[in-house]
Amino acid sequence: MTTVKTNSGRLKVELVRGNIANQPDMDAVVNAANASLLPGSGVAGAIHRAAGPGLEEECRGLAPIAPGEAVITNAHRLPNEYVIHCLGPVYGQDEPSDQLLASCYRQALQLADDKKLSSVAFPAISTGVFGYPVAPAARVAFLTLLDVADHLRWVKHIRFVLFTEDDLALHEQVLEALLNQ
Ligand code: AR6
């Protein structure tokens, strides 16, 4: 667990290996969505499977969303209060991909703060089907987090849930390098 000092106190940043659909102690989990907010593979598949058909129904009214955009829904059968759906950039196609990816993290954290949530869990958006290389994506995620940290009034705990040991190790290296520079 890393602690980042902010204007309004401290922000816990935690990196774990796990399943984003099984984070019962977090107020919101983030979905690496598709534009139509439908169930897919990877994160979107796991979240929709665990949330049940009510999530898909609620999502229908909010789709489509654009790359870099985030929207918030109830969590239905997931053990959280909310799901925040982010459409990450398809690497090499949606440009500028770093800014679009940063926008996902910024908008998701803003939505969580607007709802006065204290904890949010993120997957590594865009690093699966969408092909964004893991280390550069992690750098964008953490730089955005450090950039917005002072503006967050309610969010106090951010967890990155990585699917593999390798992805976890890469995220740990990238975060450490950024904090030590
Ligand atoms: N928990 C945490 N991380 C996971 C999980 C899980 N259950 N499953 C996969 N990952 P992806 P994207 C990791 O493909 O790249 C979908 O079909 C995975 O190893 O879920 O943003 C959507 O419908 C990778 O590191 O999201 C979209 O069409 C990361 O989560 C498209 O794929 C993101 O992989 C979105 O692609």
Side-chain angles (χ1 to χ4, degrees), residues 101-133:
L101 186 59
S103 169
C104 285
Y105 285 96
R106 200 176 304 113
Q107 289 195 21
L109 288 168
Q110 187 63 53
L111 286 170
D113 216 51
D114 290 346
K115 292 278 188 201
K116 303 186 176 177
L117 306 184
S118 66
S119 55
V120 188
F122 283 91
I125 299 168
S126 278
T127 65
V129 171
F130 284 175
Y132 210 121

mmCIF file of all heavy atoms in Angstrom, residues 101-133:
data_model
loop_
_atom_site.group_PDB
_atom_site.id
_atom_site.type_symbol
_atom_site.label_atom_id
_atom_site.label_comp_id
_atom_site.label_asym_id
_atom_site.label_seq_id
_atom_site.Cartn_x
_atom_site.Cartn_y
_atom_site.Cartn_z
ATOM 1 N N LEU A 101 -6.884 7.690 -22.569
ATOM 2 C CA LEU A 101 -6.802 6.806 -21.402
ATOM 3 C C LEU A 101 -6.802 7.636 -20.108
ATOM 4 O O LEU A 101 -7.512 7.308 -19.140
ATOM 5 C CB LEU A 101 -5.536 5.938 -21.478
ATOM 6 C CG LEU A 101 -5.405 4.867 -20.410
ATOM 7 C CD1 LEU A 101 -6.588 3.892 -20.445
ATOM 8 C CD2 LEU A 101 -4.094 4.101 -20.566
ATOM 9 N N ALA A 102 -6.054 8.728 -20.103
ATOM 10 C CA ALA A 102 -6.044 9.616 -18.924
ATOM 11 C C ALA A 102 -7.448 10.126 -18.636
ATOM 12 O O ALA A 102 -7.877 10.191 -17.474
ATOM 13 C CB ALA A 102 -5.084 10.782 -19.157
ATOM 14 N N SER A 103 -8.180 10.455 -19.680
ATOM 15 C CA SER A 103 -9.544 10.954 -19.517
ATOM 16 C C SER A 103 -10.438 9.921 -18.830
ATOM 17 O O SER A 103 -11.290 10.271 -18.003
ATOM 18 C CB SER A 103 -10.090 11.344 -20.890
ATOM 19 O OG SER A 103 -11.460 11.578 -20.813
ATOM 20 N N CYS A 104 -10.252 8.643 -19.150
ATOM 21 C CA CYS A 104 -11.024 7.580 -18.476
ATOM 22 C C CYS A 104 -10.804 7.646 -16.970
ATOM 23 O O CYS A 104 -11.758 7.631 -16.182
ATOM 24 C CB CYS A 104 -10.557 6.197 -18.930
ATOM 25 S SG CYS A 104 -11.100 5.737 -20.558
ATOM 26 N N TYR A 105 -9.542 7.683 -16.562
ATOM 27 C CA TYR A 105 -9.243 7.684 -15.124
ATOM 28 C C TYR A 105 -9.756 8.964 -14.464
ATOM 29 O O TYR A 105 -10.326 8.933 -13.370
ATOM 30 C CB TYR A 105 -7.741 7.484 -14.887
ATOM 31 C CG TYR A 105 -7.317 6.054 -15.131
ATOM 32 C CD1 TYR A 105 -6.781 5.652 -16.340
ATOM 33 C CD2 TYR A 105 -7.511 5.082 -14.149
ATOM 34 C CE1 TYR A 105 -6.424 4.329 -16.575
ATOM 35 C CE2 TYR A 105 -7.158 3.756 -14.368
ATOM 36 C CZ TYR A 105 -6.616 3.394 -15.587
ATOM 37 O OH TYR A 105 -6.278 2.076 -15.810
ATOM 38 N N ARG A 106 -9.556 10.104 -15.165
ATOM 39 C CA ARG A 106 -9.988 11.388 -14.593
ATOM 40 C C ARG A 106 -11.498 11.409 -14.419
ATOM 41 O O ARG A 106 -12.018 11.749 -13.356
ATOM 42 C CB ARG A 106 -9.529 12.527 -15.510
ATOM 43 C CG ARG A 106 -9.493 13.857 -14.802
ATOM 44 C CD ARG A 106 -8.938 14.979 -15.668
ATOM 45 N NE ARG A 106 -7.623 14.699 -16.187
ATOM 46 C CZ ARG A 106 -7.345 14.505 -17.484
ATOM 47 N NH1 ARG A 106 -8.292 14.551 -18.385
ATOM 48 N NH2 ARG A 106 -6.107 14.258 -17.873
ATOM 49 N N GLN A 107 -12.223 11.018 -15.477
ATOM 50 C CA GLN A 107 -13.691 11.064 -15.408
ATOM 51 C C GLN A 107 -14.224 10.067 -14.375
ATOM 52 O O GLN A 107 -15.184 10.358 -13.654
ATOM 53 C CB GLN A 107 -14.301 10.770 -16.782
ATOM 54 C CG GLN A 107 -14.094 11.908 -17.767
ATOM 55 C CD GLN A 107 -14.991 11.792 -18.999
ATOM 56 O OE1 GLN A 107 -16.017 11.126 -18.980
ATOM 57 N NE2 GLN A 107 -14.608 12.458 -20.067
ATOM 58 N N ALA A 108 -13.617 8.888 -14.305
ATOM 59 C CA ALA A 108 -14.087 7.877 -13.352
ATOM 60 C C ALA A 108 -13.902 8.379 -11.917
ATOM 61 O O ALA A 108 -14.807 8.251 -11.077
ATOM 62 C CB ALA A 108 -13.321 6.569 -13.554
ATOM 63 N N LEU A 109 -12.747 8.982 -11.639
ATOM 64 C CA LEU A 109 -12.499 9.474 -10.275
ATOM 65 C C LEU A 109 -13.424 10.641 -9.948
ATOM 66 O O LEU A 109 -13.915 10.767 -8.816
ATOM 67 C CB LEU A 109 -11.028 9.873 -10.127
ATOM 68 C CG LEU A 109 -10.080 8.669 -10.079
ATOM 69 C CD1 LEU A 109 -8.630 9.110 -10.228
ATOM 70 C CD2 LEU A 109 -10.268 7.882 -8.772
ATOM 71 N N GLN A 110 -13.705 11.472 -10.943
ATOM 72 C CA GLN A 110 -14.617 12.598 -10.719
ATOM 73 C C GLN A 110 -16.029 12.093 -10.414
ATOM 74 O O GLN A 110 -16.694 12.589 -9.494
ATOM 75 C CB GLN A 110 -14.630 13.499 -11.968
ATOM 76 C CG GLN A 110 -15.406 14.789 -11.767
ATOM 77 C CD GLN A 110 -14.788 15.663 -10.679
ATOM 78 O OE1 GLN A 110 -13.598 15.968 -10.714
ATOM 79 N NE2 GLN A 110 -15.586 16.038 -9.671
ATOM 80 N N LEU A 111 -16.487 11.093 -11.169
ATOM 81 C CA LEU A 111 -17.821 10.529 -10.915
ATOM 82 C C LEU A 111 -17.895 9.938 -9.507
ATOM 83 O O LEU A 111 -18.887 10.113 -8.796
ATOM 84 C CB LEU A 111 -18.145 9.442 -11.951
ATOM 85 C CG LEU A 111 -18.491 9.918 -13.366
ATOM 86 C CD1 LEU A 111 -18.535 8.733 -14.331
ATOM 87 C CD2 LEU A 111 -19.824 10.659 -13.366
ATOM 88 N N ALA A 112 -16.845 9.248 -9.099
ATOM 89 C CA ALA A 112 -16.818 8.648 -7.762
ATOM 90 C C ALA A 112 -16.855 9.742 -6.693
ATOM 91 O O ALA A 112 -17.582 9.641 -5.701
ATOM 92 C CB ALA A 112 -15.570 7.791 -7.596
ATOM 93 N N ASP A 113 -16.085 10.787 -6.898
ATOM 94 C CA ASP A 113 -16.049 11.878 -5.924
ATOM 95 C C ASP A 113 -17.393 12.610 -5.871
ATOM 96 O O ASP A 113 -17.860 12.972 -4.790
ATOM 97 C CB ASP A 113 -14.912 12.843 -6.287
ATOM 98 C CG ASP A 113 -14.248 13.413 -5.055
ATOM 99 O OD1 ASP A 113 -13.862 12.631 -4.157
ATOM 100 O OD2 ASP A 113 -14.140 14.655 -4.953
ATOM 101 N N ASP A 114 -18.009 12.795 -7.036
ATOM 102 C CA ASP A 114 -19.328 13.457 -7.071
ATOM 103 C C ASP A 114 -20.355 12.677 -6.255
ATOM 104 O O ASP A 114 -21.267 13.249 -5.674
ATOM 105 C CB ASP A 114 -19.839 13.580 -8.518
ATOM 106 C CG ASP A 114 -19.030 14.580 -9.332
ATOM 107 O OD1 ASP A 114 -18.261 15.365 -8.740
ATOM 108 O OD2 ASP A 114 -19.160 14.572 -10.580
ATOM 109 N N LYS A 115 -20.213 11.348 -6.240
ATOM 110 C CA LYS A 115 -21.139 10.497 -5.462
ATOM 111 C C LYS A 115 -20.677 10.330 -4.014
ATOM 112 O O LYS A 115 -21.227 9.539 -3.261
ATOM 113 C CB LYS A 115 -21.228 9.090 -6.097
ATOM 114 C CG LYS A 115 -21.910 9.047 -7.450
ATOM 115 C CD LYS A 115 -23.418 9.018 -7.301
ATOM 116 C CE LYS A 115 -24.072 8.764 -8.657
ATOM 117 N NZ LYS A 115 -25.468 9.207 -8.667
ATOM 118 N N LYS A 116 -19.615 11.035 -3.653
ATOM 119 C CA LYS A 116 -19.069 10.994 -2.285
ATOM 120 C C LYS A 116 -18.618 9.594 -1.879
ATOM 121 O O LYS A 116 -18.780 9.172 -0.732
ATOM 122 C CB LYS A 116 -20.077 11.544 -1.280
ATOM 123 C CG LYS A 116 -20.516 12.961 -1.620
ATOM 124 C CD LYS A 116 -21.405 13.543 -0.551
ATOM 125 C CE LYS A 116 -21.718 14.993 -0.900
ATOM 126 N NZ LYS A 116 -22.623 15.623 0.021
ATOM 127 N N LEU A 117 -18.062 8.854 -2.844
ATOM 128 C CA LEU A 117 -17.567 7.507 -2.546
ATOM 129 C C LEU A 117 -16.166 7.618 -1.974
ATOM 130 O O LEU A 117 -15.397 8.503 -2.345
ATOM 131 C CB LEU A 117 -17.541 6.656 -3.818
ATOM 132 C CG LEU A 117 -18.848 6.579 -4.596
ATOM 133 C CD1 LEU A 117 -18.708 5.625 -5.777
ATOM 134 C CD2 LEU A 117 -19.993 6.146 -3.685
ATOM 135 N N SER A 118 -15.819 6.669 -1.099
ATOM 136 C CA SER A 118 -14.466 6.737 -0.538
ATOM 137 C C SER A 118 -13.504 5.754 -1.175
ATOM 138 O O SER A 118 -12.293 5.918 -1.054
ATOM 139 C CB SER A 118 -14.504 6.565 0.984
ATOM 140 O OG SER A 118 -14.927 5.278 1.293
ATOM 141 N N SER A 119 -14.024 4.726 -1.869
ATOM 142 C CA SER A 119 -13.088 3.744 -2.430
ATOM 143 C C SER A 119 -13.505 3.307 -3.844
ATOM 144 O O SER A 119 -14.693 3.108 -4.105
ATOM 145 C CB SER A 119 -13.002 2.526 -1.508
ATOM 146 O OG SER A 119 -14.282 1.994 -1.272
ATOM 147 N N VAL A 120 -12.522 3.168 -4.709
ATOM 148 C CA VAL A 120 -12.753 2.782 -6.108
ATOM 149 C C VAL A 120 -11.686 1.785 -6.535
ATOM 150 O O VAL A 120 -10.494 1.990 -6.263
ATOM 151 C CB VAL A 120 -12.641 3.991 -7.075
ATOM 152 C CG1 VAL A 120 -13.064 3.594 -8.478
ATOM 153 C CG2 VAL A 120 -13.454 5.166 -6.605
ATOM 154 N N ALA A 121 -12.108 0.716 -7.211
ATOM 155 C CA ALA A 121 -11.156 -0.269 -7.750
ATOM 156 C C ALA A 121 -11.150 -0.197 -9.274
ATOM 157 O O ALA A 121 -12.209 -0.210 -9.907
ATOM 158 C CB ALA A 121 -11.537 -1.678 -7.298
ATOM 159 N N PHE A 122 -9.957 -0.120 -9.833
ATOM 160 C CA PHE A 122 -9.773 -0.045 -11.289
ATOM 161 C C PHE A 122 -9.114 -1.311 -11.821
ATOM 162 O O PHE A 122 -8.156 -1.808 -11.205
ATOM 163 C CB PHE A 122 -8.812 1.092 -11.649
ATOM 164 C CG PHE A 122 -9.391 2.472 -11.585
ATOM 165 C CD1 PHE A 122 -9.314 3.210 -10.411
ATOM 166 C CD2 PHE A 122 -9.986 3.047 -12.695
ATOM 167 C CE1 PHE A 122 -9.829 4.500 -10.349
ATOM 168 C CE2 PHE A 122 -10.498 4.339 -12.646
ATOM 169 C CZ PHE A 122 -10.418 5.066 -11.468
ATOM 170 N N PRO A 123 -9.519 -1.769 -13.005
ATOM 171 C CA PRO A 123 -8.698 -2.738 -13.737
ATOM 172 C C PRO A 123 -7.711 -1.940 -14.596
ATOM 173 O O PRO A 123 -7.775 -0.704 -14.609
ATOM 174 C CB PRO A 123 -9.724 -3.435 -14.639
ATOM 175 C CG PRO A 123 -10.690 -2.332 -14.972
ATOM 176 C CD PRO A 123 -10.746 -1.406 -13.759
ATOM 177 N N ALA A 124 -6.839 -2.627 -15.314
ATOM 178 C CA ALA A 124 -5.896 -1.937 -16.205
ATOM 179 C C ALA A 124 -6.608 -1.694 -17.541
ATOM 180 O O ALA A 124 -6.491 -2.478 -18.492
ATOM 181 C CB ALA A 124 -4.635 -2.770 -16.389
ATOM 182 N N ILE A 125 -7.330 -0.574 -17.594
ATOM 183 C CA ILE A 125 -8.178 -0.245 -18.757
ATOM 184 C C ILE A 125 -7.344 -0.254 -20.049
ATOM 185 O O ILE A 125 -6.210 0.241 -20.063
ATOM 186 C CB ILE A 125 -8.810 1.151 -18.560
ATOM 187 C CG1 ILE A 125 -9.690 1.173 -17.302
ATOM 188 C CG2 ILE A 125 -9.630 1.573 -19.783
ATOM 189 C CD1 ILE A 125 -10.121 2.581 -16.885
ATOM 190 N N SER A 126 -7.913 -0.825 -21.092
ATOM 191 C CA SER A 126 -7.343 -0.847 -22.461
ATOM 192 C C SER A 126 -6.198 -1.838 -22.658
ATOM 193 O O SER A 126 -5.711 -1.981 -23.776
ATOM 194 C CB SER A 126 -6.858 0.550 -22.925
ATOM 195 O OG SER A 126 -7.930 1.313 -23.402
ATOM 196 N N THR A 127 -5.735 -2.517 -21.595
ATOM 197 C CA THR A 127 -4.533 -3.352 -21.753
ATOM 198 C C THR A 127 -4.830 -4.795 -22.167
ATOM 199 O O THR A 127 -3.916 -5.608 -22.261
ATOM 200 C CB THR A 127 -3.685 -3.381 -20.465
ATOM 201 O OG1 THR A 127 -4.438 -4.036 -19.431
ATOM 202 C CG2 THR A 127 -3.304 -1.990 -20.021
ATOM 203 N N GLY A 128 -6.106 -5.107 -22.417
ATOM 204 C CA GLY A 128 -6.458 -6.457 -22.859
ATOM 205 C C GLY A 128 -6.772 -6.443 -24.345
ATOM 206 O O GLY A 128 -5.890 -6.219 -25.184
ATOM 207 N N VAL A 129 -8.046 -6.641 -24.664
ATOM 208 C CA VAL A 129 -8.497 -6.664 -26.065
ATOM 209 C C VAL A 129 -8.060 -5.397 -26.810
ATOM 210 O O VAL A 129 -7.734 -5.442 -28.000
ATOM 211 C CB VAL A 129 -10.047 -6.801 -26.099
ATOM 212 C CG1 VAL A 129 -10.578 -6.619 -27.500
ATOM 213 C CG2 VAL A 129 -10.470 -8.154 -25.544
ATOM 214 N N PHE A 130 -8.016 -4.263 -26.137
ATOM 215 C CA PHE A 130 -7.711 -2.983 -26.807
ATOM 216 C C PHE A 130 -6.215 -2.765 -27.036
ATOM 217 O O PHE A 130 -5.825 -1.795 -27.684
ATOM 218 C CB PHE A 130 -8.329 -1.805 -26.052
ATOM 219 C CG PHE A 130 -9.824 -1.658 -26.250
ATOM 220 C CD1 PHE A 130 -10.544 -0.686 -25.548
ATOM 221 C CD2 PHE A 130 -10.532 -2.471 -27.130
ATOM 222 C CE1 PHE A 130 -11.920 -0.535 -25.729
ATOM 223 C CE2 PHE A 130 -11.907 -2.332 -27.316
ATOM 224 C CZ PHE A 130 -12.609 -1.367 -26.604
ATOM 225 N N GLY A 131 -5.364 -3.650 -26.483
ATOM 226 C CA GLY A 131 -3.969 -3.716 -26.923
ATOM 227 C C GLY A 131 -2.995 -2.679 -26.408
ATOM 228 O O GLY A 131 -1.869 -2.587 -26.915
ATOM 229 N N TYR A 132 -3.376 -1.881 -25.425
ATOM 230 C CA TYR A 132 -2.445 -0.859 -24.904
ATOM 231 C C TYR A 132 -1.354 -1.577 -24.102
ATOM 232 O O TYR A 132 -1.663 -2.356 -23.202
ATOM 233 C CB TYR A 132 -3.218 0.096 -23.991
ATOM 234 C CG TYR A 132 -2.696 1.516 -23.929
ATOM 235 C CD1 TYR A 132 -3.495 2.590 -24.294
ATOM 236 C CD2 TYR A 132 -1.403 1.788 -23.506
ATOM 237 C CE1 TYR A 132 -3.036 3.897 -24.231
ATOM 238 C CE2 TYR A 132 -0.939 3.091 -23.444
ATOM 239 C CZ TYR A 132 -1.763 4.136 -23.803
ATOM 240 O OH TYR A 132 -1.299 5.429 -23.742
ATOM 241 N N PRO A 133 -0.076 -1.341 -24.392
ATOM 242 C CA PRO A 133 0.978 -2.013 -23.625
ATOM 243 C C PRO A 133 0.871 -1.655 -22.130
ATOM 244 O O PRO A 133 0.566 -0.513 -21.784
ATOM 245 C CB PRO A 133 2.271 -1.472 -24.228
ATOM 246 C CG PRO A 133 1.889 -0.845 -25.517
ATOM 247 C CD PRO A 133 0.451 -0.449 -25.418
#
